Amino acid sequence: MTALHVHNTMTRRKEKFEPLDPAHVKMYVCGPTVYDDAHIGNARPVVVFDVLARLLRRLYPKVTYARNITDIDDKIIVRAAERGVHIDTVTADTIANYHADMAALGALPPDMEPRCTRSIPGMLAMIETLVDKGHAYAAEGHVLFAVASYADYGKLSGRSRDEQIAGARVEVAPFKRDPADFVLWKPSTPDQPGWDSKWGRGRPGWHIECSAMAKDVLGITIDIHGGGLDLTFPHHENEIAQSQCAHGGVQFSKYWMHNGFLVVNGEKMSKSLGNFFTVRDLRARAPGEAIRLLLLKTHYRAPLDFTDEGLRQAKLNLDRWYRLLQISDALLDSSQKEADRLNPMDVPPDILRALCDDLNTSEAIARIGEFIVDKGYRHHRDGNLTELRMAADELRSAAAMLGLLQVNPEAWFKQTLNATGIPSRNSFGSSTIGNTKPLEVHMEEYEIDTAIAARLAARKAKNFAEADRIRDDLKAKGIVLEDGPKGTSWKRDG
RNA sequence: GGCCGGGUAGCAAAGUGGUAAUGCAGGGGACUGCAAAUCCCCUAUACGGCGGUUCGAUUCCGCCCCCGGCCUCCA
């Protein structure tokens, strides 16, 4: 059996993954702050850790994967004020969009999705413990974590205390004992959301939520804590400080995994720079699986340049994969297909080996293309139907590990993109993404069938000019025809 | 300044102590009424630079250069 190895940010090297309890693996990933639609950079960790969760489930009998939703935050309060609605409206809308977007990318829901607003008691309990143990103090309605009380502070991100102070670029609140101290609890004005506490009515700071929720749903020590690279400091550093100080120094997470950034034209894609694409916009330009494949084609720790050309290629790759399944399916009768489903092939060893090597999805995808898809087409050419069918099965199970090839081939080729016509609030116009616009003409299937029949008649009459005219007309409307031995089939090609 | 990641053909992206997959793009062919899809063949003197270790380095070590990131809004 292949042993899983993962890169641990804490040690900065690849380590063998040895769960605390092989009978129950626990993973926590930082989820979104729900004030705005998810952009593709937010989607990367979701897809990456979705693959990791699938892999862990394949390797261990029980896996609990928790991903939180931060639904109380100043950005949300600001957004609600801007829109003139209640904060709950902002969070409910955003969460609904988030779930729809992530589902479109083929990400399975996490086992648990704790929300801050429902975890306040846990946070207050942890804050109280920290105060009692001398790791936190109250000042002017705030409760702050005393960084000086934790000797290992800075270990995850590899920075010393001096450096932090030298690098501090924000004004230090006067009530802080130490410039590096961070807020656990802060006071709310009457018009701001708040909860009663022994330090007055207020709301949690940014970092305490994850510490408290991880403990609530997974326990004191977890196996893997994941998130984007930019969370390493200060967010995860602070989580470690809070959790380990509250729990008498007991380790918070055994492994820390961070995904790299998406870049656009060489620059980090981020909300603060404004150079981002929402998942919702991209869904109108490419199928969710194509977006997912593009995200997985680059190793998760490497920077990923997200481009139109990349999206186009990912779509082409999937077309080729689905085509093989379609060919295989067409050669089998329904009873055989049913038998396949009853006896799914296990994940090909090469694929498993690649994923076990610190989630090397790039290599897994390369091997799928090279050794499975190519092989399948070779068997097709040579007329080896049994081998073709085996290759198709292999492809299905390999792709399933990556969350790909999850629809049937017919549906894939005939799908219509998610053209809601509603641009996201922050869509970014002047970019390399977006050259492929959704088609304005949408043809219903019966219209297509009618056109195909007309073309067939023209072909029979050797009126090829008319036949080609019909084909060109369909092409202009995004319908591509393919003449095969069993007649003409079509696909949408947005 | 400190710390971190990356630099492989036109583009994308694996990998390796013995001179390097694959995809897209490009060229030719089979098939087709023509296409599409599929198949076959071909193409590129691609491992940022300089040293070191070695019989031999793109792969290990050192230094340097370039790009990007973090240093309390950020996935």
Side-chain angles (χ1 to χ4, degrees), chain A residues 78 92 106 230 280 309:
Chain A
V78 169
D230 52 354
R280 187 125 70 108
E309 172 61 15

Side-chain angles (χ1 to χ4, degrees), chain A residues 8 11 67 70 82 85 101 124 299 327 360 365 469 487:
Chain A
N8 188 353
T11 57
R67 185 183 66 210
T70 297
E82 285 170 3
V85 297
D101 285 343
L124 287 172
H299 183 84
I327 290 170
N360 194 340
I365 289 163
R469 189 198 63 74

Side-chain angles (χ1 to χ4, degrees), chain A residues 224-242:
Chain A
I224 297 173
H225 191 124
L229 191 60
D230 52 354
L231 292 182
T232 311
F233 188 88
H235 188 54
H236 290 161
E237 195 71 70
N238 291 353
E239 284 185 43
I240 293 171
Q242 294 159 351

Side-chain angles (χ1 to χ4, degrees), chain A residues 163-176:
Chain A
E163 282 163 5
Q164 291 155 43
I165 294 166
R169 65 183 182 189
V170 229
E171 283 192 45
V172 177
F175 48 81
K176 283 188 182 183

Side-chain angles (χ1 to χ4, degrees), chain A residues 3 15 80 88 237 252 264 284 308 320 329 379 427 432 481 494:
Chain A
E15 296 177 0
D88 291 348
E237 195 71 70
F252 177 39
V264 180
D308 235 7
R320 183 173 161 79
D329 286 353
H379 288 312
S427 59
T432 58
L481 298 188

Side-chain angles (χ1 to χ4, degrees), chain A residues 25 76 90 131 140 164 180 182 206 215 260 267-268 271 281 345 376 386 416 452 460 468:
Chain A
V25 176
I76 302 172
V90 172
V131 171
E140 298 186 22
Q164 291 155 43
F182 56 92
W206 177 29
K215 184 197 173 200
E267 261 201 327
K268 174 188 173 184
K271 291 197 174 178
D281 288 343
M345 186 183 185
T386 306
T416 307
I452 289 175
K460 276 191 174 160
D468 290 352

